[in-house]
Amino acid sequence: VQLQASGGGLVQAGASLRLSCAASGSTFSNYAMGWFRQAPGKEREFVASISWGGGSTYYADSVKGRFTISRDNAKNTLFLQMNSLKPEDTAVYYCAADRSRLTAALLQAMDRYDYWGQGTEVTVSS
């Protein structure tokens, strides 16, 4: 599966952004999906995950209550709604696909994922 992330940009603290990840080349509903991010000078970290059918989601503590992961299997698209953005959310955001039927809470490890998008940059100014 090929993944194309989009929707990043420069916003002020407190603003919202919605990231999208368009999938192609394979049956999107066969994959659990995740969002990760990498801030300048830091390691890539888990943000959120969603099971293949969308029935379960899981979030990093740092984004819980502010970010929402969702998917539209009919449109082969993954989303990340980001509200109340903070400067510490500044990073390149990546979507990833995992060929598993695990619940979202078990999908935090980067090495689980088989396919990665190219990333979209989010910058939050204070």
Side-chain angles (χ1 to χ4, degrees):
V1 63
Q2 291 80 49
L3 303 173
Q4 179 77 33
S6 62
L10 171 62
V11 297
Q12 290 189 330
S16 298
L17 276 177
R18 189 192 198 199
L19 305 184
S20 298
C21 175
S24 61
S26 188
T27 303
F28 180 61
S29 59
N30 285 344
Y31 298 88
M33 299 295 296
W35 285 101
F36 292 79
R37 67 186 181 185
Q38 187 165 17
K42 296 188 178 181
E43 295 185 352
R44 194 171 299 189
E45 65 176 5
F46 169 80
V47 175
S49 57
I50 187 167
S51 59
W52 62 276
S56 67
T57 58
Y58 194 78
Y59 299 90
D61 287 343
S62 58
V63 307
K64 200 173 297 182
R66 300 187 297 121
F67 291 12
T68 302
I69 188 172
S70 62
R71 66 191 297 162
D72 185 338
N73 284 347
K75 295 184 177 179
N76 296 335
T77 306
L78 174 74
F79 302 101
L80 185 69
Q81 177 66 43
M82 305 188 296
N83 298 331
S84 303
L85 282 161
K86 303 175 181 180
E88 50 264 44
D89 295 318
T90 294
V92 177
Y93 283 72
Y94 299 89
C95 56
D98 171 18
R99 292 174 293 185
S100 79
R101 297 298 174 108
L102 296 176
T103 185
L106 300 178
L107 296 169
Q108 299 174 60
M110 281 190 295
D111 58 7
R112 285 211 53 85
Y113 290 83
D114 305 292
Y115 304 96
W116 291 81
Q118 86 292 355
T120 185
E121 188 168 4
V122 173
T123 303
V124 185
S125 63
S126 56

